[in-house]
Amino acid sequence: MIYEDIETASRDEIRAVQNERLRETVRNAYENVDYYREELDEAGVSPEDIETVDDIHKLPFTTKEDFRAEYPDGLFAVDDEEIRRIHASSGTTGKPKIVSYTEKDLDVWSDAVARSLAAGGVEPGDTVQNAYGYGLFTGGLGLHYGVEKLGATVIPIGGGGTQRQVEMLQDLESDAISCTPSYALYLAETAEEMGVDVKDLPLSTVIFGAEPCTEPMREEIEERLDVNGIDIYGLSEIVGPGVSNECHEAQDGLHLWEDRFYPEVVDPETGEPLPEGEEGELVLTTLSKEALPVLRYRTGDLTTLNYEECECGRTMVRMDNVTGRADDLLIVRGVNLYPSEIEDVVLEFDEVAPYYRIDLDRENNLDTIEVTVELVDDFDGDVDELHDRILTRLENVLSFTPDVLTLAEYGTIERTEVGKVQRVFDHR
Ligand code: DLL
């Protein structure tokens, strides 16, 4: 189901909307946010210089450090009376990034989420169990209002309480659940422990996001829960969930709602724009936000853009699913590695459960890396032989051998019931 006509508009139509909204956004930022006025003045750019999206590169970037420096409300463009809601993105260090919404912003956001859900195969009348955390995190309320906007029923269960989640799936016959990918797996595991066969339940879709999910992880979710695993992407600074979403027809990239958020992909080192199809850092500009216009935000997320029309009929650009962030890069004794590359290799093994952790340390001034993976519950093979096979595969695919590879028993690695999973522990 296509939720809004603009999703199938021609490139010219999309461009026209983007150009007009970009001009408005820049004007709003310049006139109402001291920070942007100073930045643009310093860069020698006036709002009149921005006529079309082709001029966007003239604008300076906004970074997470700018959000922190302007904490709490230095980037807000409206008076307090116009703000209807505040959210915050926690982050692991420093102050949270505070974000705000006017009534219209909330409306645009819930439409973006409704669009996303419809693309993911959720229909009006369906029941969606929303297992994202409610509160300052944008996942809970973001999904909540999107489900309602679509005309579906939301069960606002929030994060955690996994046994109850399973009971609700059974008793209320939820058609879809929204949660992080790691939680979807934990749910499957809990259901198994409870003796509930999730495959027998009506559940047909998992809307997962807020964390990276590699292909083997998605396959595991789809298989264990017998569902369509649909990827939803977003970030608080831009709006929250609903910036882009996979369509259930193709499941081949996430349609980015580019009438609301303008995407670019740049070289993470130099900031130079990259041609279509090349992987780099996603940069987003809000096109409709009143309370918090954001110009060229460096998301830190690595992806590629694909402007080919999709088989679902939507014309909006697709981004590759995000499996890493520019700042996830692990440099171990000079070798560059992304955790997702390790995940891709280890989860290829049927004997390995989808739980792992990576520990980095330093001994005698030398980096060390330990990879711990879990064996499946019913493993009855030769551990040493499997250990050697995994090491050889890591060596062949990544030219990398961990100092220690531990094959732990099933259930050893801590599960994340609430919030985002952490898999890399840097003790250096
Ligand atoms: O995680 C918003 C969200 C909630 C998205 C629920 C999807 C579902 P933040 O807490 O601000 O917002 O974190 C944003 O999370 O820059 C990515 O690094 C990561 N992220 C979000 N969605 C995905 C995804 C929410 N589908 C940061 N795949 C982003 C990979 C994702 N990473």
Side-chain angles (χ1 to χ4, degrees):
M1 173 198 148
I2 306 278
Y3 181 73
E4 282 173 282
D5 292 344
I6 188 79
E7 294 172 61
T8 54
S10 70
R11 185 78 356 226
D12 284 350
E13 287 171 286
I14 297 173
R15 269 295 141 106
V17 171
Q18 290 176 326
N19 292 340
E20 194 191 323
R21 290 184 178 163
L22 178 65
R23 287 193 294 267
E24 267 170 40
T25 299
V26 174
R27 209 174 312 121
N28 182 20
Y30 189 84
E31 286 172 8
N32 298 311
V33 185
D34 290 347
Y35 166 81
Y36 278 121
R37 190 163 47 254
E38 283 159 23
E39 286 290 305
L40 265 67
D41 284 348
E42 203 174 301
V45 186
S46 83
E48 290 73 49
D49 296 329
I50 310 298
E51 285 179 26
T52 73
V53 287
D54 293 331
D55 299 316
I56 201 162
H57 65 272
K58 296 177 187 165
L59 297 168
F61 291 121
T62 307
T63 63
K64 63 172 188 276
E65 287 74 28
D66 297 327
F67 265 85
R68 297 232 158 90
E70 295 299 324
Y71 176 89
D73 59 359
L75 294 177
F76 293 6
V78 296
D79 293 335
D80 290 354
E81 305 82 74
E82 287 182 63
I83 293 176
R84 291 292 168 274
R85 190 164 343 134
I86 299 273
H87 278 284
S89 135
S90 51
T92 42
T93 52
K95 292 273 191 202
K97 287 158 267 173
I98 305 289
V99 297
S100 62
Y101 306 78
T102 62
E103 194 171 334
K104 185 170 155 246
D105 291 337
L106 290 172
D107 221 39
V108 166
W109 184 17
S110 47
D111 269 330
V113 176
R115 234 193 241 186
S116 298
L117 292 163
V122 179
E123 293 184 358
D126 280 355
T127 298
V128 182
Q129 189 160 321
N130 183 22
Y132 284 116
Y134 280 71
L136 287 174
F137 175 53
T138 52
L141 290 176
L143 262 293
H144 183 101
Y145 288 106
V147 174
E148 291 188 349
K149 196 66 170 276
L150 178 66
T153 304
V154 62
I155 305 177
I157 189 163
T162 311
Q163 295 209 1
R164 197 171 41 145
Q165 299 265 3
V166 175
E167 284 160 15
M168 291 274 173
L169 284 178
Q170 287 180 294
D171 300 345
L172 298 178
E173 304 191 329
S174 310
D175 301 287
I177 186 163
S178 44
C179 59
T180 59
S182 57
Y183 191 66
L185 287 171
Y186 183 60
L187 195 75
E189 194 174 54
T190 306
E192 276 160 31
E193 280 165 15
M194 291 166 68
V196 174
D197 192 350
V198 193
K199 292 185 181 179
D200 287 345
L201 301 180
L203 185 72
S204 60
T205 307
V206 174
I207 306 285
F208 63 72
E211 278 171 12
C213 181
T214 59
E215 264 324 292
M217 188 77 90
R218 181 218 296 267
E219 281 165 24
E220 187 94 23
I221 293 171
E222 293 195 324
E223 199 186 297
R224 288 181 71 171
L225 294 163
D226 190 22
V227 289
N228 251 348
I230 299 288
D231 197 349
I232 185 166
Y233 168 86
L235 62 167
S236 321
E237 299 88 308
I238 296 300
V239 79
V243 171
S244 64
N245 202 89
E246 275 178 338
C247 60
H248 68 105
E249 293 92 341
Q251 282 183 283
D252 183 19
L254 291 80
H255 289 282
L256 197 151
W257 309 126
E258 51 177 324
D259 57 322
R260 300 295 184 192
F261 318 104
Y262 185 78
E264 301 167 79
V265 168
V266 304
D267 182 320
E269 302 281 315
T270 64
E272 283 304 309
L274 292 173
E276 182 186 339
E278 264 187 52
E279 187 183 74
E281 180 178 352
L282 181 67
V283 170
L284 290 168
T285 298
T286 62
L287 293 178
S288 309
K289 288 278 289 298
E290 291 179 333
L292 186 60
V294 181
L295 307 182
R296 303 191 83 203
Y297 186 66
R298 300 282 297 253
T299 65
D301 296 322
L302 299 174
T303 191
T304 53
L305 293 178
N306 171 7
Y307 282 87
E308 272 169 38
E309 197 174 318
C310 180
E311 64 179 64
C312 70
R314 289 178 182 80
T315 46
M316 295 218 170
V317 63
R318 277 172 287 166
M319 59 183 258
D320 235 10
N321 91 320
V322 173
T323 55
R325 296 178 46 80
D327 49 16
D328 275 348
L329 182 68
L330 307 175
I331 305 180
V332 184
R333 295 194 292 268
V335 176
N336 293 357
L337 265 178
Y338 283 102
S340 60
E341 297 180 290
I342 300 179
E343 176 178 314
D344 261 332
V345 173
V346 296
L347 296 194
E348 267 176 20
F349 289 84
D350 290 341
E351 301 91 333
V352 167
Y355 303 97
Y356 66 95
R357 60 179 281 159
I358 299 169
D359 286 272
L360 301 163
D361 221 325
R362 183 163 287 149
E363 278 170 27
N364 305 324
N365 291 322
L366 208 62
D367 297 329
T368 60
I369 175 165
E370 174 174 3
V371 177
T372 308
V373 302
E374 245 184 43
L375 296 167
V376 288
D377 202 7
D378 52 2
F379 180 79
D380 60 358
D382 180 338
V383 177
D384 292 338
E385 184 267 339
L386 176 63
H387 180 271
D388 291 349
R389 265 196 293 138
I390 297 178
L391 271 189
T392 310
R393 187 85 186 128
L394 283 169
E395 181 63 38
N396 288 345
V397 180
L398 300 177
S399 311
F400 145 85
T401 329
D403 301 284
V404 182
L405 171 67
T406 306
L407 304 190
E409 255 178 53
Y410 184 74
T412 320
I413 293 173
E414 204 184 326
R415 311 296 195 242
T416 306
E417 246 195 293
V418 178
K420 302 192 187 205
V421 69
Q422 188 185 355
R423 299 199 177 95
V424 178
F425 299 85
D426 198 337
H427 315 283
R428 292 179 292 185

